[in-house]
Every structure is written in structure tokens, then in C-alpha cells.
């Protein structure tokens, strides 16, 4: 029972709310007439009297207001408001008491507020009067009165309107016009009075603006600041804006095209390598003693992770380290976990700064290090290694400047230009209406320059003549490694697999290099110890150091273990290379 009572009470509240909303929505009004009397005074002031015949529907209505934009006048004075009861009193404190009015200026609008006792369903006449100063326009060919007698800031219609303009003594209407709606006008015989009559109802937000021109010099005064500004803008829009648009558009196009051509020219003079041509179709041996990592930096002008890996394998080839593959059972004996043990054999084999840094960061003062222990910390050493590659390349005379710094400078310049272009573009958008539609063209042209600089940054590092010649010879050696089976019998050249493997890694050929030699049964590298079982569950022979850095295989027991061939080890070798790359550098 209680539930039904609550439900009935809620329904009653809902009905009362709907009734209140319907009543509020039914509150409306319209102007039965809105007549305006305009008098131009000898001192160029304009006295305006508005008569509002308003029909209120519903209610209550307690106040009225009139917004007057001040963008085309100087000030408004001598405000008076009158209602059915008589003149209203000016209330400086704006207490909103009935039969009072107040004024304020808010965001460029002059506002008149007036207050009256509650009105319901009644026709009431109000009269507003005020003086406009600096609202007349002065020109040599005739002074002009422009006034929006029926203002557009309305949500309700005006059924009829008459606007009467009175000119001072000695003035005569020469040109008459009305804007916004259809209206007729009539000029008195002496030319001093013009009566405008709206021909139709004036809908909400429609306006009726009247214009009367009379001879210059009849009234005192001179153009106000707003008129001078308005006339300048009109002259600019009509005469100069097309030329400004053309100039800004041409400037934007010049910046875009000139920027691209200039960037290409800059690269041609400052970034293009010294042309040396092809030194040979191929070279069967490394053309110099340049280490693989440094050679890779020379060719692509970047010290990347491949160059670091090539350096690591080259250190193993020279006897500085060895790599042992480890396999461990997973949790609860499920699965196999692969890891790699790096063993330091002879650190003196590292002669270049980047080689010494690489060993230091891997081993951290220890003799052995598992790959898994380097996770989440070796990456911090990569920037230092890259910087040492670049410094060594400059020291070797391969580049006149640090390639990384050249790229970063070019990229930074491009980014700064893009930021400047973005700021100017936003400013150009703001100026489209007032200045020119093409105001955004120069910033867009500037943005093209920034994008061009960022795009060309990767190829801006320039090799010296020595560096270009060296790179040409190394490219010839790369062609040899890539197509080695065309130039060499792999079965007779198994010994070069280990020697050239670091270069193959730096060239990006390690996959095909390992596979090609695996097919001809080349021996596994001495420094790599994969987990292999042949005829039993034994490890391959343990490599030992002679104390001078050379690595040799220890004697093996008879009847079981032999040095693994590359056929059996190729999968382990290649997997180890990928794992080293993934483990050290991709994390």
C-alpha cells in the first residue's frame, strides 16, 4: 500500500512539473509597433526616441533591456525611460526596483535596463530616449546617418515599424536607403524629414537599418576614430586586399618551391659524398684493416645495433671472448630455456675505444656473464658506444664532422622552423578575415622548408674523399660476400667463414652467410660452443687459453665427440646471433 502511495505522489510531482514548464514555455511577447524618431542635431549629435508598443503573453514580466553596440559611435548620454505610469528614475546602484532604470557598458555594448511591476497578458507602451555622440559619418561628398532602428537582437517579432529622420536646418536629404528588410520611404518637400515604413512584419533577428545622406558642412564635427578605421578597412578590402592575397600566395609558393630546391642544393654542396665511382666489381678480401663495426658506420653513416653486434663477434673472432650456449630446463622441468654465457679470454685484444667499452659494459669486471643478466641495463651503454663509433670515424678521417651531430642539427633546424610555421599559421588564421585569405600561405611554405630539412637530415652527413673511396671499396667487398658462391668454391674456402662473419653481420648478410657455409660442412667458429650431442649426451670440447690469447680445443676423448660441423651447428649459430641481438639490443 505504501508503495502505491509513493508512486502516486511521484506522478503528482511530475504533473506539476510539466504544468510549470508548459506555463513557462507559454510566456512570450511581440512588438505591436516599434517606432523610432531620429533627430540630427547641429552639433552632429543624434537624439533618438524609441516607442515600444509591446504585447505581453503570459507572465510575469518584470524588466526590459536594450542592447546598443558601440562599435560605430563614441558614447551614449542623456538616457531617459518612460512607462505607462510616467518617467522612470535612474538608479545608479541598479537595485532592480520597479519604475527605475540603469545603464552599463558590457563588452562593447551599451545596455539600458528598466524595471516595472509584474505584468501578465497586457499591452504596454514604453518610451526610450538617448543621445548618440560620434555616430554621424563625415565625407566630402555628403555626411551620412546610419542607424539600425529596428535592432536584430530580438527573439520576438515586430509587427509594424515607422522610422522618422529629422535633419537640421539647412540640410536636405540627398540619398536615402534602407537595409535588412523591404521598406518604403517618403521625403518631405523641404527635404529635412524622411519617413521609413516597414512593408512587412520584421521577424526575430531581422533588422531595419536606415541611411540618409545630406550635404557636408551643415553640421559641426569631424570623423570619429571608428569611422577613420572603418574607412581604411573598406578601402583596403576593395583596393588592396586582392594584391596582398596575390603577394602572400606568391610568397608562400616561393618559400615552398625555393625551400625544396634550396634544401636539395644544400645537400648537394654540403651533404653529398664526394663521387668516386665504382672501384671494382668485387673485392675478395677486406680492402683495409677497418673493424667491421666502424665499416658499418661508414657505409650507412649510422652507428646502429648491427655494428655493435658485429664488433662483439669480431672480438670473439680475435680471441677476446668466447660464447657458450646454455640450455636449462624450465619450471617443473617443462620446456627448455636457452641462454648464452660470455667468457672473457683476453681483454687486450680490444684496441679501439668502442671495443673496450663494449667489453666493460658486458662483463662489468667479471670473467663470465650470462646474456640474461644483461637484461634491462645494457641498453644504457648504447649511446656511449654509438658516440665512440662516430668519434673514431671522424678520427680516422672518414667524416669531417660527427654524422650524428650533423643529422641532429638538421632535424633541430627543421623542427624549429615547423614550430615557427605553426605559430605564424595560427596568426595567419586570425588575419584571414581582416587582412587576406592568403595569410596562411607563407607559414605553409615555411612548413614545407621545415619538413624538407627533417626529410633530408638522414642523408646530410658527408664523407670525406678518403671516406668515399673507402666506402666504395667496402661496397665492392660486400658484393663479393653476398655472391661468394659465384667467385669462390665454398668447399675450398671454409676457413674464411669465421674470418668474414663479423663483416657479413655488419653488411646484414649473416643469415645467407651462415646458411651457405652450413651446406658445405664448414666447421663451427672456435669461439662458439653450441649445445650439441652426437652419439651421446656430451658437450663439445672445451676451449682453453694458452695465456697469449690464442684459443685451442682441448683433446677430446676417443670414440665419441668431435668438433661440430657448421651443418650441425648452423641452427645454433644463427639462433645465437638472433638471441644476442634480441637479448642485448632489442630490450
Amino acid at each position: 500500500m505504501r508503495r502505491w502511495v509513493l508512486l502516486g505522489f511521484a506522478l503528482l510531482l511530475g504533473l506539476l512539473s510539466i504544468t510549470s514548464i508548459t506555463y513557462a514555455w507559454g510566456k512570450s511577447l511581440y512588438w505591436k509597433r516599434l517606432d523610432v524618431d531620429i533627430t540630427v542635431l547641429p552639433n552632429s549629435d543624434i537624439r533618438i526616441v524609441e516607442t515600444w508598443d509591446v504585447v505581453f503573453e503570459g507572465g510575469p514580466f518584470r524588466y526590459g533591456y536594450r542592447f546598443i553596440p558601440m562599435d560605430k559611435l563614441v558614447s551614449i548620454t542623456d538616457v531617459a525611460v518612460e512607462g505607462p505610469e510616467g518617467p522612470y528614475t535612474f538608479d545608479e546602484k541598479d537595485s532592480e526596483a520597479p519604475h527605475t532604470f540603469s545603464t552599463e557598458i558590457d563588452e562593447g555594448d551599451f545596455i539600458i535596463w528598466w524595471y516595472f511591476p509584474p505584468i501578465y497578458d497586457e499591452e504596454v507602451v514604453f518610451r526610450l530616449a538617448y543621445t548618440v555622440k560620434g555616430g554621424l559619418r563625415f565625407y566630402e561628398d555628403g555626411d551620412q546617418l546610419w542607424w539600425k532602428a529596428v535592432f536584430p537582437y530580438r527573439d520576438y517579432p515586430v509587427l509594424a515599424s515607422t522610422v522618422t529622420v529629422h535633419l537640421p536646418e539647412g540640410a536636405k536629404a540627398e540619398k536615402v536607403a534602407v537595409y535588412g528588410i523591404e521598406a518604403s520611404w517618403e521625403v518631405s518637400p523641404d527635404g529635412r524629414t524622411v519617413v521609413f515604413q516597414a512593408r512587412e512584419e520584421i521577424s526575430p533577428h531581422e533588422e531595419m537599418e536606415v541611411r540618409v545622406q545630406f550635404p557636408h558642412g551643415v553640421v559641426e564635427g569631424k570623423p570619429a576614430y571608428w569611422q577613420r578605421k572603418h574607412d581604411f578597412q573598406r578601402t583596403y578590402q576593395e583596393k588592396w586586399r586582392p594584391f596582398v592575397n596575390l603577394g602572400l600566395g606568391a610568397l608562400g609558393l616561393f618559400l615552398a618551391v625555393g625551400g625544396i630546391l634550396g634544401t636539395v642544393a644544400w645537400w648537394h654542396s654540403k651533404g653529398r659524398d664526394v663521387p668516386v665511382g665504382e672501384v671494382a666489381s668485387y673485392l675478395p678480401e677486406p680492402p683495409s684493416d677497418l673493424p667491421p663495426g666502424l665499416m658499418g658506420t661508414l657505409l650507412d653513416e649510422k652507428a646502429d645495433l648491427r655494428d655493435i653486434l658485429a664488433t662483439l663477434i669480431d672480438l670473439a673472432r680475435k680471441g677476446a671472448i668466447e660464447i657458450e650456449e646454455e640450455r636449462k630446463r624450465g619450471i617443473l622441468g617443462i620446456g627448455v630455456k636457452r641462454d648464452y654465457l660470455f667468457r672473457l679470454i683476453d681483454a687486450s685484444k680490444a684496441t679501439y675505444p668502442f671495443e673496450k667499452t663494449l667489453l666493460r659494459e658486458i662483463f662489468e669486471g667479471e670473467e663470465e656473464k650470462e646474456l640474461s643478466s644483461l637484461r634491462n641495463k645494457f641498453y644504457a651503454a648504447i649511446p656511449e658506444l654509438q658516440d665512440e663509433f662516430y668519434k673514431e670515424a671522424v678520427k680516422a678521417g672518414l667524416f669531417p664532422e660527427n654524422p650524428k651531430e650533423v643529422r641532429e642539427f638538421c632535424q633541430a633546424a627543421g623542427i624549429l622552423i615547423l614550430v615557427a610555421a605553426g605559430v605564424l599559421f595560427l596568426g595567419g588564421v586570425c588575419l584571414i578575415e581582416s587582412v587576406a585569405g592568403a595569410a596562411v600561405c607563407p607559414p605553409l611554405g615555411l612548413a614545407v622548408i621545415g619538413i624538407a630539412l627533417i626529410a633530408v637530415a638522414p642523408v646530410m652527413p658527408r664523407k670525406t674523399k678518403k671516406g668515399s673511396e673507402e666506402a666504395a671499396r667496402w661496397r665492392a667487398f660486400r658484393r663479393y660476400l653476398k655472391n661468394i658462391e659465384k667467385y669462390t668454391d665454398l668447399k675450398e674456402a671454409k676457413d674464411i667463414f669465421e674470418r668474414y662473419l663479423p663483416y657479413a653481420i655488419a653488411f646484414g648478410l649473416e643469415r645467407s652467410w651462415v646458411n651457405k657455409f652450413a651446406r658445405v660442412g664448414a666447421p663451427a667458429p672456435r669461439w662458439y660452443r653450441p649445445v650439441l650431442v652426437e652419439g651421446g649426451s656430451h658437450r663439445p670440447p672445451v676451449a682453453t687459453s694458452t695465456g697469449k690469447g690464442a684459443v685451442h680445443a682441448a683433446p677430446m676423448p676417443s670414440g665419441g665427440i668431435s668438433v661440430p660441423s657448421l651443418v650441425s651447428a648452423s641452427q645454433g649459430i644463427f639462433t645465437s646471433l638472433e638471441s644476442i641481438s634480441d637479448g642485448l639490443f632489442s630490450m
Side-chain angles (χ1 to χ4, degrees):
M1 181 67 182
R2 181 179 180 184
R3 178 182 178 185
W4 290 107
V5 171
L6 291 175
L7 180 59
F9 182 69
L11 290 174
L12 178 61
L13 288 178
L15 289 174
L16 290 175
S17 300
I18 293 173
T19 303
S20 300
I21 293 172
T22 303
Y23 181 73
W25 285 352
K27 184 177 176 179
S28 183
L29 62 87
Y30 63 88
W31 279 263
K32 188 175 180 180
R33 295 196 63 83
L34 201 169
D35 297 330
V36 183
D37 192 83
I38 304 173
T39 302
V40 179
L41 302 177
N43 65 349
S44 74
D45 289 351
I46 306 170
R47 184 62 179 176
I48 298 176
V49 179
E50 300 178 1
T51 302
W52 293 21
D53 187 347
V54 184
V55 177
F56 295 98
E57 298 177 336
F61 294 89
R62 302 179 184 274
Y63 65 91
Y65 59 89
R66 168 75 160 100
F67 282 83
I68 306 173
M70 298 186 65
D71 57 332
K72 293 178 181 176
L73 56 88
V74 174
S75 64
I76 293 178
T77 62
D78 304 324
V79 179
V81 178
E82 184 178 341
E85 309 86 349
Y88 282 20
T89 302
F90 178 70
D91 184 359
E92 187 175 356
K93 296 182 179 180
D94 192 19
S95 62
E96 301 185 8
H99 305 125
T100 66
F101 74 92
S102 64
T103 62
E104 67 171 319
I105 297 177
D106 181 36
E107 297 183 356
D109 292 325
F110 187 89
I111 309 174
I112 305 172
W113 301 90
W114 68 94
Y115 306 91
F116 40 81
I119 295 176
Y120 297 87
D121 298 312
E122 185 178 351
E123 179 179 347
V124 181
V125 176
F126 296 102
R127 185 170 288 105
L128 282 68
Y130 50 90
T131 298
V132 175
K133 293 183 176 293
L136 208 62
R137 307 186 189 193
F138 296 87
Y139 297 101
E140 289 297 327
D141 56 350
D143 298 339
Q144 302 174 14
L145 166 74
W146 294 67
W147 193 253
K148 293 182 180 181
V150 179
F151 43 90
Y153 314 105
R154 298 172 292 103
D155 294 325
Y156 304 101
V158 175
L159 302 188
S161 178
T162 299
V163 180
T164 305
V165 177
H166 304 280
L167 300 178
E169 185 176 354
K172 182 178 181 180
E174 296 177 334
K175 294 181 181 180
V176 178
V178 64
Y179 306 97
I181 64 165
E182 292 290 332
S184 61
W185 63 82
E186 182 178 350
V187 182
S188 65
D190 61 359
R192 291 182 56 193
T193 302
V194 183
V195 179
F196 298 86
Q197 188 73 44
R199 292 180 176 176
E200 57 188 18
E201 176 183 314
I202 306 174
S203 301
H205 308 299
E206 282 189 329
E207 66 183 23
M208 179 179 175
E209 184 174 20
V210 299
R211 174 195 176 193
V212 177
Q213 180 173 319
F214 53 91
H216 178 64
V218 175
V219 298
E220 300 175 356
K222 60 182 181 179
Y225 171 76
W226 70 263
Q227 181 192 333
R228 297 194 299 270
K229 180 180 177 182
H230 171 79
D231 292 343
F232 173 80
Q233 290 175 343
R234 185 180 62 181
T235 302
Y236 170 80
Q237 296 290 339
E238 294 175 354
K239 293 184 177 181
W240 301 110
R241 185 182 176 101
F243 295 101
V244 174
N245 271 323
L246 181 62
L248 291 175
L251 177 59
L253 183 62
F254 171 78
L255 288 174
V257 177
I260 293 174
L261 295 178
T263 302
V264 173
W266 185 36
W267 167 82
H268 191 272
S269 63
K270 299 294 184 181
R272 185 173 68 106
D273 294 337
V274 178
V276 295
E278 186 177 295
V279 297
S281 58
Y282 72 94
L283 291 177
E285 293 183 352
S288 70
D289 59 354
L290 210 62
L294 198 57
M295 177 273 298
T297 301
L298 169 66
L299 289 187
D300 62 8
E301 301 172 348
K302 293 180 181 178
D304 51 27
L305 304 181
R306 182 177 296 279
D307 300 326
I308 297 176
L309 179 57
T311 300
L312 179 67
I313 301 305
D314 191 47
L315 286 170
R317 180 190 65 81
K318 292 191 294 186
I321 65 172
E322 67 176 12
I323 302 174
E324 179 179 344
E325 181 180 346
E326 295 181 333
R327 293 188 183 182
K328 302 176 182 178
R329 289 291 181 183
I331 299 176
L332 301 179
I334 301 174
V336 177
K337 180 181 179 182
R338 186 190 299 269
D339 202 352
Y340 297 90
L341 178 68
F342 296 154
R343 183 175 291 112
L344 182 63
I345 303 300
D346 187 355
S348 66
K349 298 293 184 179
T351 56
Y352 288 92
F354 53 82
E355 292 178 332
K356 296 177 182 178
T357 299
L358 181 58
L359 292 182
R360 185 187 72 238
E361 294 298 330
I362 288 178
F363 291 100
E364 299 178 318
E366 301 179 17
E367 296 295 323
E368 295 183 348
K369 206 75 170 183
E370 287 186 333
L371 174 64
S372 58
S373 68
L374 300 176
R375 293 180 184 275
N376 299 322
K377 58 181 181 179
F378 181 79
Y379 72 91
I382 292 176
E384 181 183 356
L385 286 168
Q386 290 174 319
D387 286 340
E388 290 181 348
F389 274 112
Y390 290 129
K391 291 177 181 177
E392 196 63 33
V394 174
K395 181 180 178 181
L398 305 177
F399 295 95
E401 299 178 83
N402 187 319
K404 178 183 177 182
E405 293 177 356
V406 172
R407 280 192 296 269
E408 289 178 346
F409 172 80
C410 196
Q411 290 171 344
I415 291 172
L416 286 175
I417 291 176
L418 276 179
V419 171
V423 173
L424 292 176
F425 179 83
L426 293 177
V429 170
C430 298
L431 296 175
I432 284 178
E433 290 297 329
S434 60
V435 177
V440 297
C441 291
L444 291 177
L446 201 62
V448 171
I449 297 177
I451 294 172
L453 286 174
I454 294 173
V456 82
V459 296
M460 276 306 295
R462 186 181 193 181
K463 301 179 183 70
T464 61
K465 183 178 181 181
K466 175 184 176 180
S468 296
E469 293 173 347
E470 187 84 359
R473 289 192 288 268
W474 281 104
R475 280 191 287 266
F477 180 58
R478 184 184 189 279
R479 287 191 290 271
Y480 170 75
L481 295 189
K482 183 178 181 180
N483 305 294
I484 188 171
E485 65 276 11
K486 292 173 56 178
Y487 311 114
T488 303
D489 185 351
L490 296 183
K491 292 182 179 180
E492 298 178 359
K494 297 178 183 178
D495 60 317
I496 68 173
F497 167 75
E498 178 182 351
R499 184 162 25 121
Y500 293 163
L501 177 59
Y503 295 103
I505 293 173
F507 286 135
L509 303 175
E510 69 273 10
R511 181 184 295 274
S512 63
W513 186 255
V514 171
N515 289 336
K516 287 175 182 178
F517 281 90
R519 287 195 293 267
V520 299
R526 295 170 300 164
W527 46 264
Y528 173 68
R529 298 175 55 204
V531 175
L532 291 174
V533 178
E534 293 186 2
S537 57
H538 300 283
R539 283 184 173 274
V542 177
T544 60
S545 173
T546 63
K548 298 181 180 181
V551 181
H552 302 282
M556 294 176 291
S558 61
I561 308 301
S562 61
V563 176
S565 70
L566 196 57
V567 175
S568 60
S570 62
Q571 183 60 40
I573 293 172
F574 187 71
T575 302
S576 70
L577 294 176
E578 285 192 335
S579 298
I580 292 169
S581 176
D582 292 341
L584 283 179
F585 313 126
S586 299
M587 292 182 301

